[in-house]
């Protein structure tokens, strides 16, 4: 293959977590591909070419994978949200299980069971839509970024993973601002008004929270918009409507100025027999049904009675409150101030007097924790645990760690640190928390090794070999 060749036709041989395709060039060099499915013949655009490896992204699927069937979603070719929309539920679970077993190979020698937490249809309780145009100079649209085309917005009129109320609201808001002729915010030149529209919907109460995000470069008749959106035909009910002013240059929602336009400040969701309040910027699991399955697994794995449990990266306090009946005290640490305030309010509503929430960075706040922890729950962000914080956390020397990870790669990378300090994996499993997407949730129970304790998972002692892979 000539070095300057920029387009290749290759067959994807396997797909590693997280949805990274692998193929081989004619000269034997391995090819890393963003996305794809095993068995697909694809037209590949080379993005980086070296002597040892080639990287590329898919321009076109020339032949489908033998694993694929008909997709119920008309947006599958353009939307990058659902990588596995064309697979059956069984094929998706099988593919993800193989990815996990390869990822953890070298750390543990065991099959990692995987199960589905919910239906793959209509499960998302939050969507963050972006204003833009589908093609340059086209009419205003509201939707998701097109796959591989950051500045083109796809109106997801028939999205399969959200409730129909999301589709009605998305279309209604798009129609409203098309008629008003208000320009969207162009990120390249930092000019325009409309930026995002966020929807959150409670599964159990059917309450809906909406947040219109704009720049300060133009006026919005918020009273007229409120009257319009409240009349849309929904199964649920809008009980909270916000307007956020965001002039930051990045494509993230920064609440520089926030105003409640209508209703209450938050919506309520019920989970595992408890009530939780969700505000416009609260962290809450995106799949309510699957989150309930996940937390039940956590509770079952930690069954017993505890003196004190630390819940690090506690978010809105969901896990801490679910585990509260099992312990004399549960202490949570979370860096997001709104999440901590929400956790405190919810704990009070749920009449839980043995939970405490601390606002701060885990790296610093763990030094201030008092007393012994019988168990520590870890549910860190996708990037995992800061290495310095990890050392401090392990130094508490609890009998048990429960590690819940939304990024199995981070978990796999950190497990050797626990193993070196005498912990062994007593149980590990995966949950398909977000069906049709590349994401997988993993739950691992680690116990301090005693000489008379039965260990039911064989651990590969050559952990340093794996650790050197620098995942």
């Amino acid at each position: 293959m000539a070095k300057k060749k920029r387009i290749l036709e290759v067959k994807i041989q396997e797909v590693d977590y997280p949805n990274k395709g692998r193929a081989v060039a004619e000269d034997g060099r391995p090819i890393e591909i963003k996305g794809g499915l095993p068995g697909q013949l694809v037209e590949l655009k080379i993005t980086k070419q070296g002597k040892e490896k080639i990287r590329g992204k898919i321009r076109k699927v020339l032949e489908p994978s033998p694993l694929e069937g008909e997709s119920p979603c008309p947006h599958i070719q353009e939307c990058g949200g659902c990588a596995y929309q064309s697979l059956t539920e069984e094929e998706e679970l099988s593919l993800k299980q193989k990815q996990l077993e390869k990822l953890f190979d070298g750390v543990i020698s065991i099959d990692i069971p995987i199960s589905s937490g919910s239906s793959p249809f209509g499960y998302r309780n939050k969507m963050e839509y972006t204003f833009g145009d589908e093609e340059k100079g086209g009419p205003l649209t509201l939707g998701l970024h097109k796959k591989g085309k950051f500045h083109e917005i796809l109106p997801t009129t028939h999205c399969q993973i959200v409730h129909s109320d999301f589709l009605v609201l998305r279309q209604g808001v798009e129609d409203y601002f098309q008629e008003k002729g208000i320009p969207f915010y162009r990120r390249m030149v930092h000019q325009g008004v409309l930026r995002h529209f966020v929807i959150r919907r409670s599964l159990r109460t059917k309450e809906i929270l909406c947040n219109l995000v704009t720049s300060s470069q133009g006026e919005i008749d918020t009273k007229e918009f409120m009257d319009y959106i409240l009349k849309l035909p929904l199964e649920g009910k809008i009980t909270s409507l916000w307007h956020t002013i965001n002039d930051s240059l990045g494509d993230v929602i920064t609440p520089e100025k926030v105003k409640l336009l209508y209703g209450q400040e938050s919506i309520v969701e019920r989970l595992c027999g408890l009530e939780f309040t969700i505000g416009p910027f609260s962290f809450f699991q995106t799949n309510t049904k699957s989150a309930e399955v996940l937390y039940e697994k956590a509770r079952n794995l930690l069954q017993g009675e505890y003196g004190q449990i630390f819940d690090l990266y506690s978010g809105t306090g969901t896990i801490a409150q679910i585990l509260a009946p099992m312990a004399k005290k549960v202490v949570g640490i979370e860096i997001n101030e709104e999440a901590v305030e929400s956790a405190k309010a919810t704990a009070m509503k749920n009449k839980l007097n043995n939970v405490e929430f601390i606002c701060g960075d885990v790296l610093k706040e763990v030094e201030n924790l008092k007393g012994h922890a019988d168990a520590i729950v870890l549910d860190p962000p996708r990037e995992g645990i800061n290495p310095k914080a990890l050392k401090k956390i392990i130094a508490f020397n609890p009998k048990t760690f429960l590690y819940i990870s939304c990024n199995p790669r981070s978990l796999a990378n950190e497990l050797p640190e626990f193993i070196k300090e005498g912990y062994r994996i007593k149980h590990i499993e995966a949950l398909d928390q977000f069906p049709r997407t590349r994401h997988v949730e993993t739950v691992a129970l680690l116990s301090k090794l005693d000489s008379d304790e039965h260990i039911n998972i064989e651990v590969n002692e050559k952990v340093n070999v794996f650790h050197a892979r620098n995942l």
Side-chain angles (χ1 to χ4, degrees):
M1 184 192 69
K3 186 175 181 180
K4 293 184 179 180
K5 192 171 182 179
R6 306 304 299 170
I7 304 296
L8 289 176
E9 285 188 14
V10 296
K11 179 162 285 190
I12 299 175
Q13 297 179 346
E14 60 182 345
V15 178
D16 294 343
Y17 182 87
N19 199 34
K20 182 185 290 184
R22 297 200 180 276
V24 178
E26 292 178 359
D27 60 5
R29 281 184 294 173
I31 304 174
E32 288 185 0
I33 303 166
K34 187 176 180 180
L37 290 168
Q40 281 182 338
L41 180 66
V42 299
E43 183 179 276
L44 195 71
K45 179 181 179 182
I46 297 174
T47 56
K48 189 174 182 180
Q49 191 166 182
K51 292 181 180 180
E52 304 296 328
K53 184 169 58 178
I54 299 171
R55 290 180 180 173
K57 63 180 183 180
I58 298 171
R59 289 183 53 176
K60 187 188 302 182
V61 176
L62 303 174
E63 292 180 11
S65 164
L67 303 177
E68 292 185 88
E70 289 294 323
S71 170
C73 181
H75 310 302
I76 184 171
Q77 297 301 328
E78 295 182 286
C79 177
C82 297
Y84 302 135
Q85 187 68 255
S86 59
L87 301 183
T88 64
E89 292 181 59
E90 293 76 17
E91 290 287 3
E92 182 181 356
L93 288 174
S94 176
L95 176 62
K96 289 179 174 179
Q97 185 175 40
K98 290 174 183 175
Q99 291 176 345
L100 290 174
E101 288 176 354
K102 183 177 180 180
L103 181 64
F104 283 88
D105 182 37
V107 180
I108 57 175
S109 301
I110 187 173
D111 292 338
I112 302 176
I114 184 170
S115 58
S116 177
S118 72
S119 164
F121 299 103
Y123 65 82
R124 282 192 65 95
N125 57 36
K126 177 188 176 185
M127 288 297 286
E128 184 177 301
Y129 295 115
T130 300
F131 289 98
D133 49 12
E134 192 167 0
E135 55 185 28
K136 190 173 181 179
L140 175 77
T141 60
L142 177 63
L144 303 179
H145 295 284
K146 284 187 179 182
K147 181 165 51 181
K149 298 178 180 179
F150 183 75
H151 295 288
E152 296 179 12
I153 302 300
L154 178 71
T156 48
T157 54
H158 295 81
C159 180
Q160 301 293 300
I161 62 174
V162 296
H163 187 275
S164 60
D165 281 350
F166 286 80
L167 305 182
V168 173
L169 282 163
R170 190 216 64 81
Q171 188 65 62
V173 172
E174 179 183 274
D175 291 345
Y176 177 85
F177 285 112
Q178 275 185 358
E179 182 180 333
K180 294 300 176 184
I182 298 175
F184 67 88
Y185 183 83
R186 298 180 182 274
R187 290 172 294 280
M188 291 295 289
V189 294
H190 310 300
Q191 293 178 356
V193 181
L194 301 169
R195 300 196 69 167
H196 299 93
F197 187 70
V198 184
I199 306 169
R200 308 187 78 143
R201 186 185 191 275
S202 167
L203 174 69
R204 302 279 157 62
T205 67
K206 298 182 180 180
E207 295 177 341
I208 298 172
L209 181 152
C210 298
N211 185 11
L212 175 66
V213 183
T214 70
S215 73
S216 62
Q217 296 178 31
E219 293 294 326
I220 300 288
D221 188 337
T222 52
K223 175 63 168 61
E224 183 183 90
F225 175 69
M226 179 187 73
D227 291 340
Y228 168 83
I229 199 172
L230 291 175
K231 293 176 183 177
L232 291 174
L234 303 171
E235 180 186 307
K237 182 180 179 182
I238 297 175
T239 56
S240 181
L241 178 60
W242 292 82
H243 179 208
T244 296
I245 301 292
N246 175 23
D247 285 323
S248 65
L249 300 182
D251 193 42
V252 293
I253 300 175
T254 304
E256 295 173 346
K257 184 179 179 182
V258 181
K259 182 180 180 181
L260 180 65
L261 301 179
Y262 170 81
Q264 57 202 31
E265 293 186 349
S266 56
I267 58 176
V268 173
E269 184 60 280
R270 300 192 184 103
L271 200 69
C272 297
L274 301 173
E275 286 194 354
F276 297 91
T277 57
I278 305 169
F281 305 101
S282 298
F283 169 79
F284 197 81
Q285 289 282 3
T286 314
N287 184 341
T288 305
K289 285 185 178 179
S290 189
E292 198 160 46
V293 173
L294 175 69
Y295 295 144
E296 286 290 357
K297 287 181 183 293
R299 185 156 55 186
N300 291 336
L301 286 172
L302 284 176
Q303 57 184 318
E305 295 183 0
Y306 295 85
Q308 184 164 235
I309 296 176
F310 293 158
D311 177 17
L312 308 184
Y313 312 95
S314 56
T316 51
T318 316
I319 299 175
Q321 294 181 59
I322 289 171
L323 298 180
M326 301 165 53
K328 291 182 179 179
K329 186 175 183 180
V330 182
V331 181
I333 299 178
E334 169 59 42
I335 197 169
N336 184 291
E337 186 176 354
E338 185 194 0
V340 172
E341 292 306 312
S342 175
K344 290 178 179 179
T346 340
M348 189 177 298
K349 181 187 292 187
N350 290 321
K351 299 179 180 179
L352 298 172
N353 300 316
N354 63 330
V355 291
E356 176 187 352
F357 295 103
I358 299 168
C359 184
D361 188 343
V362 169
L363 174 62
K364 297 178 180 178
E365 294 299 333
V366 287
E367 297 177 354
N368 301 321
L369 291 175
K370 298 177 181 178
H372 174 71
D374 300 297
I376 294 180
V377 178
L378 302 167
D379 189 5
R382 292 197 61 78
E383 60 268 21
I385 302 172
N386 181 302
K388 293 180 181 179
L390 185 59
K391 290 184 181 298
K392 294 179 182 179
I393 292 166
I394 295 176
F396 275 103
N397 197 34
K399 177 67 177 175
T400 301
F401 278 105
L402 182 70
Y403 195 134
I404 299 173
S405 176
C406 61
N407 183 2
R409 186 175 291 276
S410 295
L411 173 61
N413 198 29
E414 291 163 7
L415 277 179
E417 293 298 321
F418 291 93
I419 294 172
K420 283 195 300 184
E421 297 301 323
Y423 288 90
R424 294 296 181 263
I425 301 97
K426 293 195 69 175
H427 181 85
I428 185 169
E429 65 178 288
L431 187 68
D432 193 12
Q433 183 93 325
F434 309 107
R436 299 309 189 225
T437 76
R438 61 185 176 86
H439 301 292
V440 185
E441 200 93 5
T442 45
V443 185
L445 183 70
L446 295 90
S447 288
K448 194 76 172 182
L449 181 61
D450 294 330
S451 57
D452 60 345
E453 184 177 6
H454 173 65
I455 302 300
N456 55 19
I457 291 181
E458 178 187 353
V459 179
N460 187 330
E461 296 300 332
K462 295 181 180 179
V463 294
N464 290 329
V465 174
F466 171 82
H467 199 52
R469 293 177 184 173
N470 191 27
L471 291 177

